[in-house]
């Protein structure tokens, strides 16, 4: 994956009704470790990483690169939104497009935060790179992620086998006003 090219980074924080999407900071390190070590969070993305390994390897300010947003609720990190170029994607339909990814701590599940944060990130993306489509890949077994993709307006491009499971590739294209 690569960054988003000529997009100025970091942007001003993106505010929604309940959340702030912002650049990672040192205060987020413990939440990143919790996120990456969580068996529940990582069920469909390769499994959790060992906490002791994460403690040793995670930098003071984790995930600080263009396209990585912390999802902040009332001053605390509850998740991460990722927008990166899918240069090495396994599916030709996705190569070169922006790829949306997200991880949320289990305590933040079921409140609509992922939909709110992802919609805000997609809106920001469309503002800085107007008209560019975005892809999303998830396991079909990940019912919550499949529902979120539909809610956000992603449409199925294809299904394929990878990493020992059926995967779903969807695409989001911004709505452009008719002339």
């Amino acid at each position: 994956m690569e960054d988003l090219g000529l997009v100025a980074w970091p942007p001003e924080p993106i505010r929604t009704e309940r959340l702030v999407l912002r650049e990672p900071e040192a205060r987020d390190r413990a939440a990143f470790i919790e996120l990456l070590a969580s068996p529940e969070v990582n069920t469909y993305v390769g499994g959790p990483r060992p906490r002791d390994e994460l403690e040793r390897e995670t930098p003071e300010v984790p995930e600080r690169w263009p396209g990585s947003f912390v999802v902040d609720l009332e001053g605390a990190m509850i998740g991460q939104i990722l927008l990166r170029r899918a240069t090495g994607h396994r599916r030709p339909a996705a190569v070169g497009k922006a790829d949306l990814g997200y991880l949320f701590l289990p305590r933040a599940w079921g409140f609509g935060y992922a939909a709110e944060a992802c919609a805000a990130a997609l809106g920001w993306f469309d503002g800085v790179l107007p008209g560019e489509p975005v892809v999303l890949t998830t396991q079909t077994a990940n019912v919550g992620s499949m529902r979120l993709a539909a809610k956000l307006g992603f449409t199925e491009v294809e299904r394929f086998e990878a990493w020992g499971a059926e995967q779903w590739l969807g695409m989001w294209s911004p709505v452009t006003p008719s002339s």
Side-chain angles (χ1 to χ4, degrees):
M1 297 284 190
E2 292 181 7
D3 66 32
L4 299 174
L6 299 176
V7 173
W9 194 265
E12 290 296 316
I14 301 165
R15 298 182 189 286
T16 70
E17 185 178 329
R18 302 177 293 172
L19 307 170
V20 176
L21 278 63
R22 60 172 173 77
E23 182 179 34
E25 299 172 359
R27 66 183 165 126
D28 304 316
R29 186 176 186 277
F32 269 109
I33 290 170
E34 183 181 350
L35 194 64
L36 298 174
S38 168
E40 297 86 2
V41 171
N42 293 284
T43 298
Y44 300 104
V45 291
R49 292 190 46 207
R51 184 173 292 279
D52 61 335
E53 177 184 299
L54 289 164
E55 290 285 354
R56 279 192 316 275
E57 296 176 4
T58 302
E60 181 182 342
V61 181
E63 304 289 325
R64 192 175 204 173
W65 40 264
S68 176
F69 291 99
V70 161
V71 181
D72 182 308
L73 173 67
E74 299 174 354
M77 178 181 163
I78 60 166
Q80 178 187 30
I81 302 287
L82 307 163
L83 276 166
R84 300 182 283 184
R85 285 276 165 223
T87 55
H89 204 284
R90 295 173 176 243
R91 311 311 298 174
V95 173
K97 294 182 177 61
D99 182 67
L100 174 68
Y102 41 85
L103 296 172
F104 284 81
L105 293 167
R107 66 177 171 269
W109 294 358
F111 298 99
Y113 297 138
E116 187 175 328
C118 287
L122 289 168
W124 169 82
F125 181 82
D126 188 41
V128 295
L129 294 169
E132 277 205 43
V134 177
V135 295
L136 181 152
T137 305
T138 189
Q139 283 188 22
T140 55
N142 188 344
V143 175
S145 192
M146 293 290 293
R147 274 195 309 262
L148 177 58
K151 187 174 193 171
L152 293 169
F154 282 83
T155 56
E156 184 173 324
V157 173
E158 67 178 306
R159 293 179 186 221
F160 60 98
E161 280 290 318
W163 305 289
E166 184 182 56
Q167 307 293 320
W168 182 89
L169 173 66
M171 191 170 306
W172 175 86
S173 295
V175 179
T176 53
S178 304
S179 323

